[in-house]
């Protein structure tokens, strides 16, 4: 990376614009950056860093943006930094502008503009600059990628702050670690340490969680096993917890199985005793049952004896019912014949009531003959009925014919009236279409004139406004010019007055024994005295500042006046000399004419559509008129045919219907009479047949009752039983018979008779003995079940504990491995003898590289006396790995760098800074750093050491590098000819640049 040019505007102490040509300064290889304290030497380096990274180094980076702006800058001047450099073979230009609080263009007060950035690259082929980006983020990423280092690394490598490296030499391991960590970005190794610690905590938590679950299972096993299990006094995470829990579980399982065997034997004995008690109870219950059975049989026999009379009556009633069953068919036949005759007689009576009186005494044959005659008469009316239906159709057809004729007459009347106005309607629609077409053409012409008229009107209004602004600007420029002349005249007057009294001002600084700045004398017998109204330097400078500000205001007013004049000329060229009111009236007239034409043209489409619909309506009405005329002509002949047919039918029907209203009514009368005659004849024949069957059934019933032994058919009917009474009587007889058989069987049973002869059974005592045996069995079974459940639960919990131990095995191994690695990388493990953290180990390797690179230059600066070496020894109670010692070749001893003197510390820190620059450069991808800056520290060197240090820096030219030294040492201004001087003043700092003179020799000449 090589710097070419730096341009500053309103940055830091620089109120105006300043430029630094690094190409001219770098031609000597070494150049000096000097100036009074507070002039702004460091601000030049800050500007380089700000241009590259958008922020300034170190503690000065707080309050970015507005605090970078110079307090000496004019209100209208924006802060800007432009750096031109070559990096990675590319010529780039970076421009950055921080946020700017500027006066508002309109009104009073201020507004803040956002920060802006720009990156350009020089195209060697086209010979011009081309823009690459204006994004802060993209420019920052591009610069960081090209340089290969962050802002912190850049400030340590390119802007070498000697104070920081002196502190680095004296710092402890922790402070060195923080600095090296920022430079070499070892956060990834610290992240590895952190990840290992987090992973150790995670795995430890998982192991503790697994152990907690294992202990929970152990507590549940203890609750199940009771006193048979003792828990180990260990906590989750303690070694040997799993083995102790599994051993205690094994003992508990063994003890529980022994208790289960004991409970099983007790249950077998209780079962045997309970079985014997149950058998004894069964024997007592059986004897008691037999005794109750014998007693019940004796009681049932006594009840049967008491009810013997009722049983004999029931048997006699059943015998009479069996005899009456032979008469039952005749009774049923007679009842059916009687029912049938009753229904037939009633039906015949109802049928005769519906006939005319002349058929009241007619028999079945007479009624049938009358029905035949009526049917014959009805058949003769069929032809007349068809004629009557045809007549009704003719009437309906004539009505429809009249309706259609009226409709056609209405159509013809309406069509003739509409067609009479057709020509006038069509002409009117065509006239509307032509008018709309003319309006559309006129609107198109007016539309083309609208935009030029509006532009000219806008320009005229701007012309009037600028004419007013021009007068105000002229007055303002004239007033500011007069103020500038007045302020300059005032300053010149004050300057002349000060020059007149300069002797008194110089005399005020004289002291006895001090040479006079004018004559050189050490004695001052009559120094000049200040007179009344003496003008001092501050008064003159205030007048000069006021004069410059007045001139700047006048220049701004003149520039503004020129801008107004240019804008007025452009607006006048566009608008001409026509007054604005006339142009506005013409524009309004044009807009109104355009709007009117547009409204008239919008009627074109509706008029065309209305004409098309009117023509379609004309065609439709013309066709309807022709069709109505044709239908009217065809209906005349049709109407005559219908009249002739109607007259013939009416004559025929008058003869057929007789006295009835119509043929249909006459036919309906005959149909009803024929049906009633037929129904009456059928009913009379059925009634006669049912009377004959009833007489025959009476004869058969009398004969059947006599044969069954009954005096009358009524007696036989009374002896009959219905199904329900028969079943109930038979059930009683069968129950009596079954009860007698059962009683006889029970009284004849040998066991029952033998039990009845024994003493009464004591069932309560036997049941009490059986209940006690059953309770003893339940107690034994409960004990066995509890022992079995205890064994099963212990087996289940033990299996789960074993599974948990197996699952925890790999996790515990992982925890041991991670804990060992975490302790090793954190420096707390016993295997890490030097107690070095992983990040410290990596930084130690980097520090060893830096020490080796720094030793090459340190030996040259110290004439071969000192060598920097890296030490892994522990410092006190801290950790080892970042120790830095110096080996003194004169004494052969190694000592801490904190024991170096001030001058030794300076060139040691300088060598360390240069070595660090080389290592960081290699770390950043080998980006060549052709421009370096060294800040202060040279005042602590003697002449010989200063020569040796300058020789080392001069040797950097051999590698085509340039080194800028920032120092107050006056001797360096004689030794280094290429200089950049920063001069401070009341209106801000300035830079003065002197280039390299090839004839001079570094370190041996004067300016």
């Amino acid at each position: 990376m090589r710097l070419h040019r730096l341009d500053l505007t309103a940055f830091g102490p620089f109120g105006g614009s300043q430029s630094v040509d690094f190409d001219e300064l770098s031609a000597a290889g070494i150049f000096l950056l000097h100036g009074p304290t507070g002039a702004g030497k460091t601000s030049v380096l800050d500007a380089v860093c700000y241009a590259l990274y958008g922020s300034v180094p170190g503690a000065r980076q707080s309050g970015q943006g507005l605090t970078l702006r110079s307090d000496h800058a004019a209100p209208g001047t924006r802060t800007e930094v432009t750096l031109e450099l070559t990096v990675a073979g590319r010529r780039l230009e970076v421009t950055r502008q921080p946020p700017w609080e500027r006066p508002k263009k309109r009104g009073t007060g201020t507004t803040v503009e956002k920060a802006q950035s720009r990156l350009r690259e020089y195209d060697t082929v086209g010979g011009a600059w081309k823009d690459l980006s204006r994004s802060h983020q993209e420019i920052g990423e591009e610069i960081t990628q090209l340089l290969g280092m962050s802002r912190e690394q850049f400030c340590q490598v390119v802007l070498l702050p000697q104070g920081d490296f002196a502190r680095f030499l004296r710092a402890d391991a922790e402070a060195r670690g923080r600095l090296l960590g920022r430079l070499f970005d070892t956060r990834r190794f610290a992240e590895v340490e952190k990840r290992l610690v987090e992973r150790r905590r995670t795995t430890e938590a998982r192991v503790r969680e697994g152990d907690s679950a294992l202990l929970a299972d152990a507590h549940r096993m203890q609750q199940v096993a009771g006193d048979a299990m003792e828990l180990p006094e260990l906590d989750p995470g303690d070694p040997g917890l799993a083995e102790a829990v599994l051993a205690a579980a094994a003992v508990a399982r063994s003890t529980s199985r022994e208790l289960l065997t004991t409970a099983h034997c007790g249950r077998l004995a209780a079962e045997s005793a309970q079985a014997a008690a149950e058998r004894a109870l069964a024997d007592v219950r059986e004897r008691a049952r037999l005794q109750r059975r014998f007693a019940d049989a004796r009681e049932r026999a006594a009840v049967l004896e008491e009810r013997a009379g009722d049983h004999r009556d029931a048997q006699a009633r059943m015998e009479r019912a069996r005899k009456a069953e032979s008469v039952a068919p005749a009774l049923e036949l007679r009842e059916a014949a009687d029912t049938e005759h009753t229904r037939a007689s009633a039906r015949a009576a109802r049928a005769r009531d519906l006939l005319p009186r002349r058929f009241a005494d007619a028999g079945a044959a007479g009624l049938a003959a009358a029905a035949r005659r009526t049917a014959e008469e009805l058949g003769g009316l069929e032809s007349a009925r068809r004629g009557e239906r045809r007549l009704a159709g003719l009437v309906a057809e004539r009505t429809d014919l009249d309706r259609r004729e009226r409709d056609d007459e209405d159509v013809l009347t309406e069509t003739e009236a509409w067609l009479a106005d057709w020509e006038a309607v069509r002409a009117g629609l065509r006239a509307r279409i032509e008018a709309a077409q003319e309006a559309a053409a006129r609107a198109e012409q007016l539309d083309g004139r609208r935009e030029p008229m509006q532009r000219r009107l806008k320009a005229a209004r701007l012309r009037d406004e600028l004419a007013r602004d021009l007068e105000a600007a002229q007055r303002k420029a004239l007033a500011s010019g007069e103020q500038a002349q007045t302020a300059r005249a005032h300053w010149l007057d004050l300057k002349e007055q000060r020059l007149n009294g300069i002797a008194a001002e110089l005399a005020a600084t004289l002291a006895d024994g001090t040479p006079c700045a004018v004559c050189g004398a050490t004695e001052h017998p009559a120094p000049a005295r200040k007179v009344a109204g003496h003008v001092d330097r501050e008064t003159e400078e205030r007048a000069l500042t006021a004069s410059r500000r007045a001139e700047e205001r006048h220049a701004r007013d003149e520039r503004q006046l020129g801008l107004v004049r240019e804008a007025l000329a452009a607006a006048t060229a566009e608008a001409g000399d026509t007054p604005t009111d006339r142009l506005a009236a013409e524009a309004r007239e044009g807009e109104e004419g355009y709007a009117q034409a547009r409204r008239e043209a919008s009627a074109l489409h509706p008029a065309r559509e209305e004409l098309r619909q009117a023509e379609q309506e004309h065609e439709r009405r013309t066709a309807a008129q022709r069709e109505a005329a044709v239908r009217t002509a065809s209906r005349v002949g049709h109407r005559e045919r219908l009249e002739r047919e109607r007259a013939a039918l009416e004559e025929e029907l008058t003869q057929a219907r007789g006295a009835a209203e119509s043929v249909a009514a006459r036919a309906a009368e005959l149909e009803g009479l024929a049906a009633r005659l037929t129904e009456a004849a059928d009913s009379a024949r059925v009634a006669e047949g049912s009377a004959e069957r009833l007489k025959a059934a009476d004869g058969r019933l009398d004969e059947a009752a006599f044969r069954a032994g009954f005096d009358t058919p009524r007696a036989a009917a009374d002896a009959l039983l219905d199904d329900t009474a028969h079943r109930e009587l038979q059930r009683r007889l069968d129950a009596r018979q079954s009860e007698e058989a059962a009683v006889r069987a029970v009284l004849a049973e040998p066991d029952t008779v033998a039990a009845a002869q024994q003493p009464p059974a004591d069932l309560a005592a036997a049941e009490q003995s059986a209940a006690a045996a059953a309770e003893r069995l339940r107690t034994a079974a409960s004990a066995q079940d509890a022992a079995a459940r205890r064994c099963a639960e212990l087996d289940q919990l033990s299996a789960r504990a074993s599974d948990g131990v197996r699952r925890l095995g790999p996790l515990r191994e992982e925890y041991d491995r991670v804990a060992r690695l975490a302790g090793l990388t954190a420096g707390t493990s016993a295997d890490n003898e030097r107690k070095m953290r992983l990040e410290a180990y990596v930084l130690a390797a980097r520090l060893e590289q830096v020490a080796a690179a720094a030793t090459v230059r340190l030996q040259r600066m110290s004439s071969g006396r000192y060598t920097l070496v890296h030490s892994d020894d522990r410092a006190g109670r801290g950790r080892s790995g970042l120790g830095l010692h110096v080996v003194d070749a004169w004494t052969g001893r190694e000592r801490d760098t904190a024991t170096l003197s001030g001058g030794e510390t300076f060139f040691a820190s300088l060598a360390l800074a240069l070595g660090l620059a080389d290592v960081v450069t290699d770390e950043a991808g080998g980006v060549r750093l052709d421009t370096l800056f060294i800040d202060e520290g040279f005042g602590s060197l003697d002449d010989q050491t200063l020569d040796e240090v300058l020789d080392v820096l001069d040797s950097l030219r051999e590698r085509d590098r340039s080194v800028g030294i920032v120092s107050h040492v006056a001797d360096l201004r004689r030794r280094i000819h290429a200089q950049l001087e920063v001069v401070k003043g009341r209106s801000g700092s300035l830079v003065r640049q002197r280039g390299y003179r090839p004839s001079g020799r570094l370190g041996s000449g004067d300016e």
Side-chain angles (χ1 to χ4, degrees):
M1 181 199 73
R2 178 178 292 277
L3 305 181
H4 298 293
R5 185 178 181 87
L6 176 66
D7 295 325
L8 307 174
T9 300
F11 183 85
F14 303 101
S17 297
Q18 304 293 324
S19 296
V20 179
D21 189 349
F22 286 109
D23 287 337
E24 181 181 356
L25 294 173
S26 301
I30 299 179
F31 60 91
L32 179 65
L33 176 59
H34 68 95
T37 301
K41 301 185 298 299
T42 305
S43 296
V44 175
L45 307 183
D46 289 348
V48 173
C49 184
Y50 178 72
L52 293 175
Y53 293 98
S55 59
V56 296
R60 298 186 300 277
Q61 66 180 328
S62 61
Q64 289 295 301
L66 298 176
T67 59
L68 297 178
R69 178 172 176 80
S70 174
D71 295 334
H72 303 284
T77 303
R78 179 158 191 176
T79 303
E80 181 177 274
V81 177
T82 301
L83 176 65
E84 186 179 339
L85 72 158
T86 297
V87 58
R90 299 171 61 183
R91 185 78 172 249
L92 301 176
E93 182 189 79
V94 186
T95 301
R96 292 189 185 269
Q97 296 176 342
W100 179 34
E101 186 176 2
R102 62 168 179 81
K104 292 184 178 180
K105 296 181 179 180
R106 296 181 180 178
T108 60
T110 60
T111 183
V112 178
E113 288 192 3
K114 295 182 180 179
Q116 297 183 8
S117 301
R118 183 181 66 181
L119 177 63
R120 299 197 302 171
E121 182 177 5
Y122 185 75
D123 187 0
T124 57
V125 178
W129 291 93
K130 62 178 181 180
D131 290 339
L132 295 182
S133 176
R134 291 183 178 271
S135 169
H136 304 297
Q137 182 178 359
E138 291 179 359
I139 294 174
E141 292 176 354
E142 181 72 14
I143 294 297
T144 303
Q145 182 177 3
L146 290 174
L147 293 178
M149 62 185 75
S150 63
R151 179 178 61 83
E152 290 78 7
Q153 292 175 320
F154 179 83
C155 294
Q156 293 288 343
V157 173
V158 179
L159 311 178
L160 302 178
Q162 297 309 307
D164 289 351
F165 283 96
R167 287 191 296 273
F168 181 81
L169 289 173
R170 298 186 180 91
D172 57 8
E174 294 295 333
R176 288 174 183 163
R178 287 193 296 271
L179 177 60
L180 293 175
R182 290 197 305 270
L183 292 177
F184 294 104
D185 192 15
T186 57
R187 289 175 296 180
R188 59 187 183 277
F189 300 104
E191 187 66 23
V192 169
E193 297 178 20
K194 181 180 178 182
R195 291 291 297 276
L196 284 174
V197 171
E198 292 177 353
R199 189 172 176 185
R200 181 190 63 189
R201 292 173 181 171
T202 303
T203 53
E204 183 180 6
R206 293 173 62 188
V207 169
R208 288 182 177 275
E209 183 180 356
D211 286 348
S212 298
L214 184 62
L215 276 178
D217 291 339
H219 283 293
R220 284 193 287 272
M221 284 189 284
Q222 186 183 34
Q223 293 175 357
V224 172
D227 297 335
M229 180 178 180
E230 295 183 0
L231 290 179
E233 297 181 356
L234 296 174
D235 295 326
D238 293 345
L241 175 64
E243 293 77 5
V245 170
L246 293 180
V251 173
R253 290 198 306 275
S254 176
T255 303
S256 299
R257 287 192 176 88
E258 293 177 359
L259 295 175
L260 176 61
T261 302
T262 302
H264 179 66
C265 294
R267 178 174 180 175
L268 292 177
E271 287 178 349
S272 299
Q274 194 267 346
E278 287 293 334
R279 287 194 297 273
L281 177 61
D283 293 342
V284 173
R285 285 176 176 171
E286 180 63 19
R287 186 167 74 251
R289 185 185 67 79
L290 293 175
Q291 290 176 352
R292 287 195 304 273
R293 180 180 177 81
F294 185 80
D296 291 342
R298 294 292 298 271
E299 292 177 359
R300 288 160 60 191
V303 171
L304 291 175
E305 184 64 25
E306 292 176 359
R307 299 176 180 175
D310 295 337
H311 178 60
R312 287 191 292 273
D313 293 339
Q315 287 179 334
R317 182 75 177 87
M318 180 61 72
E319 182 62 26
R320 286 176 57 80
R322 289 195 185 97
K323 291 179 179 180
E325 288 178 355
S326 60
V327 186
L331 285 171
E332 292 176 358
L333 182 61
R334 199 271 174 192
E335 290 178 359
D338 183 60
T339 302
E340 181 183 3
H341 178 66
T342 301
R343 284 199 300 269
S345 298
R347 180 182 176 188
R350 287 193 302 273
R352 284 183 181 275
D353 292 340
L354 298 176
L355 294 176
R357 293 183 179 275
R358 63 178 182 273
F359 300 109
D361 298 329
L367 293 174
R372 287 192 297 274
R373 290 193 302 270
T374 303
E376 291 174 357
E377 185 178 359
L378 179 62
L381 291 176
E382 183 62 30
S383 176
R385 294 172 68 183
R386 288 195 298 271
E388 190 174 42
R389 287 194 295 273
R390 173 57 181 162
L391 180 60
L394 290 176
V395 172
E397 189 173 354
R398 173 62 183 272
T399 303
D400 181 65
L401 192 64
D402 294 340
R403 181 186 56 77
R404 284 184 290 172
E405 184 175 4
R406 288 192 300 272
D407 293 341
D408 287 341
E409 290 177 356
D410 295 339
V411 169
L412 290 173
T413 302
E414 182 183 358
T415 302
E416 289 176 357
W418 190 89
L419 292 176
D421 299 331
W422 163 242
E423 292 299 333
V425 172
R426 180 168 59 181
L429 291 174
R430 287 178 177 176
R432 285 172 56 191
I433 292 173
E434 292 175 358
Q437 289 175 343
E438 292 176 358
R442 188 169 63 257
E444 185 175 359
Q445 293 175 358
L446 293 174
D447 188 35
R449 302 174 187 171
R450 292 171 63 214
E451 185 175 358
M453 293 174 65
Q454 291 295 332
R455 286 200 305 269
R456 191 177 177 189
L457 176 60
K458 184 177 181 181
R461 290 172 176 168
L462 180 60
R463 177 197 62 195
D464 297 344
E465 182 179 355
L466 290 174
R468 293 188 296 271
D469 294 344
L470 178 61
E471 295 176 359
Q474 288 174 344
R475 290 193 299 269
K476 187 175 181 182
L478 181 60
S480 62
E482 293 175 354
Q483 293 174 1
Q485 291 177 1
T486 302
R488 181 171 179 81
H490 178 64
W491 169 63
L492 293 175
D493 292 341
L494 292 177
K495 183 176 183 181
E496 184 178 359
Q497 294 176 21
R498 183 181 174 224
L499 290 176
N500 293 334
I502 195 65
E505 187 174 338
L506 293 175
T509 61
L510 293 178
D512 292 338
T514 303
C516 176
V518 178
C519 63
T522 59
E523 296 181 357
H524 317 291
R529 303 295 180 183
K530 294 182 180 180
V531 299
H534 175 75
V535 178
D536 56 6
R537 182 177 180 179
E538 293 182 355
T539 304
E540 180 193 354
E541 288 181 351
R542 284 197 300 271
L544 176 60
T545 301
S547 176
R548 288 177 178 174
R549 290 178 178 173
E551 290 177 354
E552 290 177 356
R553 287 195 297 271
H554 179 59
R556 287 198 301 271
D557 294 340
E558 287 292 337
R559 288 195 298 271
Q560 182 64 27
L561 178 60
L563 294 175
V564 173
R565 284 173 176 170
E566 292 176 0
L568 178 59
T572 304
E574 175 71 20
D577 298 331
T578 306
T580 304
D581 296 341
R582 184 183 301 175
L583 292 176
E586 293 177 357
R588 284 195 301 272
E589 292 176 0
E591 289 294 332
E592 293 173 357
Y594 174 72
Q596 180 64 27
R598 288 276 296 177
R599 287 193 296 270
E600 294 176 359
S602 63
L604 177 60
H605 179 72
R608 287 176 174 173
E609 182 64 22
E610 189 174 351
L611 177 59
R612 184 185 63 80
Q613 294 177 357
E615 290 176 346
Q616 292 178 352
E617 182 67 16
H618 177 265
E619 294 177 359
R620 185 185 66 79
R621 289 180 179 272
T622 303
Q625 185 182 31
R626 289 195 299 267
E627 293 173 357
V630 172
R631 289 194 298 270
T632 300
S634 62
R635 277 194 294 271
V636 176
H638 190 195
R639 185 183 293 107
E640 294 176 354
R641 288 193 300 273
L642 292 178
E643 287 295 332
R644 287 193 298 269
E645 185 176 0
R646 185 183 63 82
L649 286 175
E650 286 181 351
E651 183 179 355
E652 179 181 353
L653 293 176
T654 300
Q655 298 175 359
R657 64 175 173 261
E661 295 180 357
S662 63
V663 176
R666 177 60 179 166
E669 292 177 0
L670 293 176
E671 286 177 356
L673 180 60
R676 290 192 296 274
L677 288 172
T678 302
E679 176 67 19
D682 294 338
S683 299
R685 284 194 295 272
V686 171
E688 292 173 357
S690 63
E692 293 177 358
R693 287 191 292 276
L694 177 60
K695 183 178 180 181
D698 287 337
R700 286 193 294 275
L701 178 59
D702 292 339
E703 183 179 359
F706 178 76
R707 284 198 300 269
F710 293 100
D711 297 336
T712 61
R714 173 54 58 188
D718 294 338
L720 281 175
L721 296 174
D722 56 15
D723 293 340
T724 301
H726 186 273
R727 285 194 299 271
E728 177 62 23
L729 182 59
Q730 186 63 45
R731 184 190 64 76
R732 288 165 54 194
L733 293 174
D734 293 342
R736 168 78 183 199
Q737 185 177 0
S738 299
E739 181 69 9
E740 289 178 352
V743 169
R744 286 194 300 271
V746 171
L747 294 177
E749 290 176 354
D751 295 340
T752 304
V753 175
Q757 295 175 357
Q758 295 180 3
D762 191 356
L763 183 60
E767 289 179 347
Q768 185 175 4
S769 299
E775 181 63 27
R776 289 192 294 272
L777 176 60
R778 284 194 295 273
T779 302
S782 299
Q784 182 183 1
D785 293 341
R789 285 196 302 273
R790 183 184 305 110
C791 290
E793 291 180 5
L794 287 174
D795 291 342
Q796 181 180 3
L797 291 173
S798 298
R800 188 163 69 180
S802 300
D803 293 339
V805 170
R806 283 194 297 272
R807 289 194 302 271
L808 278 176
L811 184 59
R812 195 178 295 276
E813 293 177 359
E814 180 184 1
Y815 166 69
D816 295 339
R817 182 173 62 256
V818 171
R820 183 172 58 83
L821 288 175
L824 191 62
T825 57
T828 59
S829 173
D831 297 334
N832 192 337
E833 296 179 357
R834 297 187 180 274
K835 303 301 180 182
M836 292 179 64
R837 294 172 49 235
L838 176 62
E839 183 181 13
Y841 177 78
V842 175
L843 292 177
R846 292 286 188 263
L847 183 58
E848 188 173 1
Q849 296 174 356
V850 172
T855 296
V856 176
R857 295 183 175 85
L858 180 60
Q859 288 181 343
R860 186 173 177 181
M861 294 179 187
S862 62
S863 301
R865 179 179 179 182
Y866 293 117
T867 301
L868 284 175
V869 294
H870 165 250
S871 174
D872 289 337
D873 295 336
R874 297 180 61 183
R877 306 179 69 179
R879 297 178 181 175
S880 60
L882 297 179
L884 191 63
H885 292 172
V886 61
V887 178
D888 190 347
W890 291 2
T891 63
R893 300 188 64 180
E894 180 178 328
R895 55 194 173 98
D896 193 90
T897 54
T899 63
L900 294 174
S901 65
E904 292 171 341
T905 299
F906 166 70
F907 62 69
S909 62
L910 176 60
L912 186 65
L914 295 174
L916 179 64
D918 293 339
V919 174
V920 173
T921 299
D922 295 338
E923 178 73 14
V927 177
R928 180 178 177 83
L929 302 177
D930 297 321
T931 305
L932 300 175
F933 293 90
I934 301 175
D935 190 2
E936 288 301 343
F938 293 87
S940 61
L941 304 179
D942 56 29
D943 292 342
Q944 181 181 355
T945 305
L946 180 60
D947 288 340
E948 292 175 350
V949 170
L950 292 178
D951 288 341
V952 172
L953 297 178
D954 191 44
S955 67
L956 295 176
R957 288 190 298 177
E958 300 173 0
R959 302 174 63 182
D960 195 21
R961 283 185 175 180
S962 61
V963 179
I965 298 175
V966 183
S967 178
H968 295 279
V969 179
D971 191 37
L972 288 176
R973 292 199 289 273
R974 293 186 299 100
R975 295 171 180 265
I976 302 175
H977 302 291
Q979 298 180 13
L980 180 66
E981 181 181 5
V982 182
V983 182
K984 65 179 180 180
R986 291 184 177 276
S987 60
S989 299
L990 304 174
V991 294
R992 297 174 182 173
Q993 183 172 331
R994 280 179 284 181
Y996 169 59
R997 292 182 299 180
S999 60
R1001 182 178 179 274
L1002 181 64
S1004 61
D1006 298 333
E1007 293 185 9

